[in-house]
Amino acid sequence: MADAKVIPFDDDRSRGSRGAGSRRRGGPAESAPVGGGPVGDVQPLPVRGAAAQGPAPGPDESPAPRSAVGDGDGGDQDGGLERRLAAGLSFLRRRLTGDYEVDDFGYDAELTDQVLMSLLRPVYEKYFRVEVKGVENIPAEGGALIVANHSGTLPLDGLMMQVAVHDHHPADRHLRLLAADLVFVLPVVNELARKLGHTLACAEDAERLLAQGELVGVMPEGFKGIGKPFGERYKLQRFGRGGFVSTALRQGAPIVPCSIVGAEEIYPMIGNSKTLARLLGFPYFPLTPTFPWLGPLGAVPLPTKWTIQFGEPIPTDGYAPEAAEDPVLMFNLTDQVREQIQHTLYKLLVQRRSVFF
């Protein structure tokens, strides 16, 4: 594998190839590279449907008694099972015939809602037992930039944050994450990331999504945060040169700080094999108390208890358009966001009873 490079989020230069997915209907969805020329307008994302769900029972309706179910005439449970089977077969038919849509970035709303989130949800609810706070601070509509700390050796924190927004936001919003180049050169991972709505961590893609009114998630620490030693846990690394602030200012989008506690301990990184990292083209090769000593079993994360807290949004729509080029303002806002996340991390750590409970 060729050495993976990280394109800094605060680099506003034009990119030669972004690899955004093309919007297709009536044929299989696939990712195709976009050339250096102008990119077409982003089409609105498909609305998350609830067709597979049956009508909600009215206030006067009550479930059928157990004795009435399965007595030959088909009860409510049989009808519900039939509806679920019919919905599942309809979903499979659409996937096999290509009768579904993806947006310009490769985001597949139907696959995400009905399959990928269903696979992530047990990890979120049962394994990490994530507690979500402050989700009401995320705007109900319009573009917004969610900025979070990054940790855990593997980027599971971004996925759990995505489930938190998807399942708990009252407006049923979906979070589009910005990811490093490495994600999009790994087989299988590349396709799954595109289907989940991830795109490259560059200013151009972030601005397009914000202009479309999407929630965009970014973790400015990058590999410095996710690959830091266990002894430096919950100590935020540098947030770069403020590229995410510049993007938010250009679009007038609010910045929502997000603090994640629990991810630091899932893979306690006690060492880094730089030789193996160079051979494999990775930014680091982690050594933990269980990996690689226990083989594949050592790759199982520890079942820590997580808390994800979304802070109060920091508005940016009150600044003039040229404010995005003011380095002093960008530094101050970047420092404000970073300090708010760090302060919340310390507060959550003090309140935490145990790493696992």
Side-chain angles (χ1 to χ4, degrees):
M1 177 186 301
D3 288 352
K5 66 174 183 176
V6 180
I7 298 180
F9 176 67
D10 48 14
D11 191 349
D12 292 334
R13 295 174 295 178
S14 299
R15 302 172 64 87
S17 174
R18 294 207 304 265
S22 58
R23 183 177 179 89
R24 298 286 298 275
R25 182 175 179 85
E30 59 183 12
S31 298
V34 177
V39 181
D41 295 337
V42 178
Q43 300 296 325
L45 295 179
V47 178
R48 266 184 258 143
Q53 301 176 358
D60 297 329
E61 296 179 11
S62 59
R66 292 181 181 271
S67 59
V69 178
D71 57 1
D73 57 353
D76 289 343
Q77 288 185 354
D78 293 338
L81 178 60
E82 290 177 358
R83 285 194 297 270
R84 289 193 294 271
L85 288 175
L89 292 173
S90 177
F91 172 80
L92 289 176
R93 183 173 61 251
R94 289 193 301 273
R95 307 310 297 187
L96 292 174
T97 60
D99 186 18
Y100 60 91
E101 296 180 350
V102 297
D103 73 355
D104 290 343
F105 296 93
Y107 169 53
D108 190 329
E110 182 183 49
L111 185 68
T112 296
D113 289 345
Q114 299 192 25
V115 178
L116 300 180
M117 284 295 164
S118 298
L119 295 175
L120 291 172
R121 194 168 289 118
V123 179
Y124 173 92
E125 294 179 348
K126 305 299 183 183
Y127 198 77
F128 293 135
R129 295 148 291 148
V130 180
E131 179 183 358
V132 181
K133 299 180 179 181
V135 71
E136 67 278 0
N137 289 322
I138 301 174
E141 58 183 16
L145 190 66
I146 298 179
V147 182
N149 59 304
H150 206 13
S151 62
T153 305
L154 292 180
L156 299 182
D157 51 358
L159 296 176
M160 296 300 102
M161 182 171 64
Q162 202 169 358
V163 178
V165 174
H166 182 278
D167 286 3
H168 294 279
H169 196 276
D172 296 327
R173 303 209 65 180
H174 183 79
L175 181 63
R176 309 291 295 270
L177 289 176
L178 303 178
D181 279 16
L182 178 60
V183 172
F184 302 103
V185 299
L186 296 175
V188 181
V189 175
N190 168 35
E191 291 298 322
L192 290 176
R194 287 293 183 189
K195 299 298 184 184
L196 275 165
H198 303 179
T199 190
L200 288 174
C202 67
E204 289 181 356
D205 285 1
E207 287 188 28
R208 289 178 61 200
L209 288 170
L210 289 174
Q212 187 182 339
E214 297 285 350
L215 285 180
V216 179
V218 61
M219 295 172 164
E221 292 176 280
F223 291 129
K224 299 188 302 293
I226 196 174
K228 64 178 176 288
F230 186 67
E232 298 180 14
R233 59 193 180 278
Y234 298 114
K235 296 178 181 178
L236 293 183
Q237 305 299 300
R238 193 172 67 91
F239 269 22
R241 294 173 292 174
F244 70 91
V245 171
S246 176
T247 299
L249 286 170
R250 288 193 181 96
Q251 295 298 323
I255 299 174
V256 181
C258 176
S259 302
I260 304 174
V261 165
E264 292 275 17
E265 294 90 359
I266 61 173
Y267 295 111
M269 186 170 165
I270 57 177
N272 176 20
S273 177
K274 296 181 179 180
T275 302
L276 284 176
R278 284 195 300 269
L279 290 174
L280 297 173
F282 294 158
Y284 57 88
F285 188 89
L287 302 176
T288 75
T290 59
F291 182 83
W293 329 115
L294 298 183
L297 185 62
V300 177
L302 296 178
T304 58
K305 176 72 170 63
W306 288 36
T307 301
I308 300 178
Q309 179 162 334
F310 299 96
E312 294 185 2
I314 300 172
T316 64
D317 54 355
Y319 296 96
E322 58 271 15
E325 308 300 330
D326 185 348
V328 176
L329 176 62
M330 284 193 295
F331 175 81
N332 290 337
L333 286 176
T334 301
D335 192 58
Q336 179 183 351
V337 174
R338 186 180 181 279
E339 286 300 317
Q340 187 168 337
I341 295 173
Q342 184 71 83
H343 176 74
T344 304
L345 286 175
Y346 288 148
K347 182 178 178 181
L348 292 174
L349 288 171
V350 169
Q351 297 172 352
R352 183 169 68 168
R353 295 178 301 169
S354 167
V355 173
F356 299 101
F357 304 101

